[in-house]
Structure formats: structure tokens, C-alpha cells
């Protein structure tokens, strides 16, 4: 794996982690009406929610790019046939988290947009 490939991987994983933290922060509001009221009544969290809703499709796209990057890494591993099971497991986990993140962002776009409208 080249240094450029590692840097791209770190950047993509960092962006995905940031988006998941924001997403899970607002999913707490779905748990109870009290949390939803807290998020909507606070101007700072409301502004963050609006920004998140506007960018959630971008976050979903970033998750899709992560999934494509993981598939390319898996393809490279299977082509070389000289890899450790640990590396193979890491890429499968990376792919699973990326696809889960994609689904979560698409679901949250639909759910959170009803709060603001």
C-alpha cells in the first residue's frame, strides 16, 4: 500500500467518523420527545441540525466513496493472494461500516427533514 493510499484512507475514515458522530448526536432526539424538544429549542443545536440535514446527502456520498475504497482494497488483496487474514478482516469491517453509514445517513435525511419542515 502506498503512502498516498494510506493518507486517502485516513482522510475518508476521519470524515466518516465525524459524520457518524453528528448523526448519532441527532438520533438521540428520536429516542424521546424530551430530547427532540431540547435539540429544537436550543438555537445552536438547531443550527447544527439544519446544517447536518443540508449536508447529509454529502455525508452519504462520502460513505459511498468509503465503500468503493474498501471494495478496491479488497480487490487488491484478493489479486495479490499474499496477504494476512488480519488485513483482509480490516477491509471487510471497513466495508461493513461504510455501507452501514450510508444507510444510516439516507435514513436520517428522511427522518430529520420532517423536524425542520
Amino acid at each position: 500500500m502506498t503512502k498516498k493510499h494510506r493518507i486517502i484512507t485516513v482522510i475518508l475514515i476521519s470524515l466518516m467518523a465525524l459524520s457518524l458522530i453528528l448523526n448519532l448526536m441527532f438520533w438521540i432526539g428520536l429516542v424521546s420527545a424530551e430530547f427532540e424538544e431540547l435539540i429544537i429549542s436550543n438555537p445552536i443545536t438547531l443550527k447544527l441540525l439544519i446544517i447536518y440535514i443540508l449536508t447529509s446527502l454529502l455525508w452519504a456520498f462520502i460513505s459511498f466513496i468509503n465503500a468503493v475504497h474498501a471494495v478496491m482494497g479488497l480487490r487488491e488483496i484478493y489479486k495479490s493472494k499474499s496477504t494476512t487474514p488480519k488485513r483482509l478482516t480490516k477491509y471487510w469491517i471497513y466495508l461493513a461500516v461504510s455501507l452501514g453509514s450510508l444507510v444510516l445517513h439516507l435514513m436520517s435525511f428522511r427522518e430529520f427533514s420532517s423536524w425542520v419542515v
Side-chain angles (χ1 to χ4, degrees):
M1 188 183 308
T2 64
K3 188 173 183 173
K4 180 182 172 185
H5 190 348
R6 287 184 187 166
I7 291 172
I8 290 171
T9 304
V10 168
I11 290 171
L12 286 173
I13 289 175
S14 300
L15 286 172
M16 187 171 59
L18 174 68
S19 69
L20 283 174
I21 289 170
L22 280 173
N23 193 328
L24 294 176
M25 183 175 81
F26 294 122
W27 272 86
I28 291 173
L30 294 175
V31 173
S32 73
E34 295 169 359
F35 283 122
E36 180 181 351
E37 185 60 36
L38 246 161
I39 290 173
I40 293 175
S41 65
N42 187 344
I44 295 172
T45 55
L46 181 63
K47 190 67 162 177
L48 281 174
L49 179 65
I50 291 170
I51 290 171
Y52 177 76
I53 290 170
L54 294 175
T55 60
S56 65
L57 294 178
L58 174 67
W59 294 119
F61 181 70
I62 289 172
S63 296
F64 176 75
I65 296 297
N66 272 297
V68 169
H69 189 67
V71 167
M72 287 174 30
L74 283 170
R75 195 175 116 229
E76 176 185 314
I77 288 172
Y78 282 117
K79 269 186 171 178
S80 70
K81 295 182 183 178
S82 61
T83 185
T84 62
K86 184 179 177 182
R87 184 169 178 228
L88 185 63
T89 305
K90 283 181 187 178
Y91 269 98
W92 276 110
I93 291 172
Y94 179 34
L95 178 62
V97 170
S98 298
L99 291 175
S101 175
L102 175 65
V103 169
L104 194 64
H105 288 300
L106 292 176
M107 285 174 39
S108 66
F109 175 74
R110 185 181 65 85
E111 194 68 40
F112 296 139
S113 59
S114 67
W115 282 10
V116 178
V117 174

